Amino acid sequence: MSLSTTSGFRLLPGRLSREQQQALLDEVLAKTKDAPFVHQTTPGGKPMSVAMTSFGDLGWTSDAKGYRYEPAHPATGRAWPAMPAILIELWAELADPEVPPDACLINFYNADAKMGLHQDKDEADLRFPVLSVSLGDTALFRLGGPRRGDPTASMKLTSGDVCLLAGASRMFHHGVDRILPGSSQLIPGGGRINLTLRRAAPSS
Ligand code: MD3
Ligand code: FE
């Protein structure tokens, strides 16, 4: 049996066309003029190599006070930009047709950025899936299991890939070992953008 059948993990390679990737990238880059990517710090005080911003009602935030979702950008104090319509539609199709996402975390990876193995558990109701969209350079992604020491599998996430983390896979450890610089021409200057749609607040 495949990983997807057993765990609720679904990888949809090339789910977004080249034209859809370009349109989404253009919208993301336009909105990040108002909500710039920032290197947040871990609660321990180390700057993250991945630069982040958010769209939607709530944005993921990390600082000395801890990890949480906030209604405003940490540097500008302004509300986050609205979520792109194509992402809301993808969520309704693949994740949950009833309850919309309220947070979209946007990660930017340059050639040196990585994300250590972690679980996503800052959301109020962990029964909602997470939906990921990759743009630009290919990532070497690592997916483990519910316990930190579980065996991991490596896979590539390439531009236009969509990944659904539902069911048991929602609590799997995961990370990005590195990106492959020069593997895509989509983003001017290179790099990778990953967008994750989430339900951060309770649904009722
Ligand atoms: C597996 N982002 O933002 S996306 C994150 O490529 C994050 O930027 C990575 O991990 C990135 O938290 C991975 C794919 C992904 C997202 C959430 C998951 C995989 C996941 C949640 C549970 C299990
Ligand atoms: Fe994550």
Side-chain angles (χ1 to χ4, degrees):
M1 242 187 317
S2 70
L3 185 60
S4 61
T5 338
T6 54
S7 70
F9 172 81
R10 280 179 78 190
L11 175 58
L12 305 171
R15 175 62 183 73
L16 297 192
S17 69
R18 186 66 208 201
E19 293 70 30
Q20 288 173 313
Q21 294 169 43
Q22 186 67 57
L24 178 57
L25 176 69
D26 291 348
E27 189 171 351
V28 168
L29 294 181
K31 287 178 166 170
T32 56
K33 305 275 184 243
D34 188 49
F37 285 107
V38 293
H39 291 274
Q40 306 196 83
T41 53
T42 65
K46 293 189 201 324
M48 297 182 180
S49 64
V50 177
M52 299 175 176
T53 186
S54 288
F55 299 152
D57 293 342
L58 294 168
W60 188 80
T61 301
S62 176
D63 60 20
K65 288 184 276 182
Y67 303 138
R68 64 200 177 276
Y69 284 91
E70 289 281 357
H73 189 287
T76 70
R78 288 193 294 271
W80 305 101
M83 233 182 268
I86 187 175
L87 297 178
I88 299 173
E89 290 159 13
L90 265 182
W91 173 277
E93 178 190 331
L94 297 169
D96 191 321
E98 317 273 322
V99 182
D102 60 2
C104 174
L105 173 63
I106 304 125
N107 296 145
F108 177 77
Y109 296 78
N110 67 15
D112 303 316
K114 57 192 162 49
M115 188 177 284
L117 208 65
H118 67 278
Q119 288 175 301
D120 290 16
K121 48 186 184 187
D122 301 317
E123 300 75 28
D125 186 342
L126 298 173
R127 292 171 301 185
F128 285 102
V130 172
L131 189 70
S132 145
V133 177
S134 293
L135 296 175
D137 285 339
T138 299
L140 292 181
F141 172 71
R142 184 179 293 275
L143 183 63
R147 286 169 307 270
R148 215 190 146 74
D150 287 336
T152 62
S154 286
M155 60 194 89
K156 287 181 178 176
L157 293 179
T158 72
S159 195
D161 290 358
V162 170
C163 186
L164 180 71
L165 301 310
S169 73
R170 174 68 177 76
M171 294 315 293
F172 284 7
H173 289 76
H174 58 280
V176 173
D177 291 341
R178 60 188 179 91
I179 71 163
L180 305 181
S183 49
S184 163
Q185 294 305 311
L186 186 74
I187 300 177
R192 170 174 186 263
I193 289 173
N194 180 264
L195 303 110
T196 45
L197 293 167
R198 300 133 186 278
R199 182 76 207 179
S203 60
S204 56

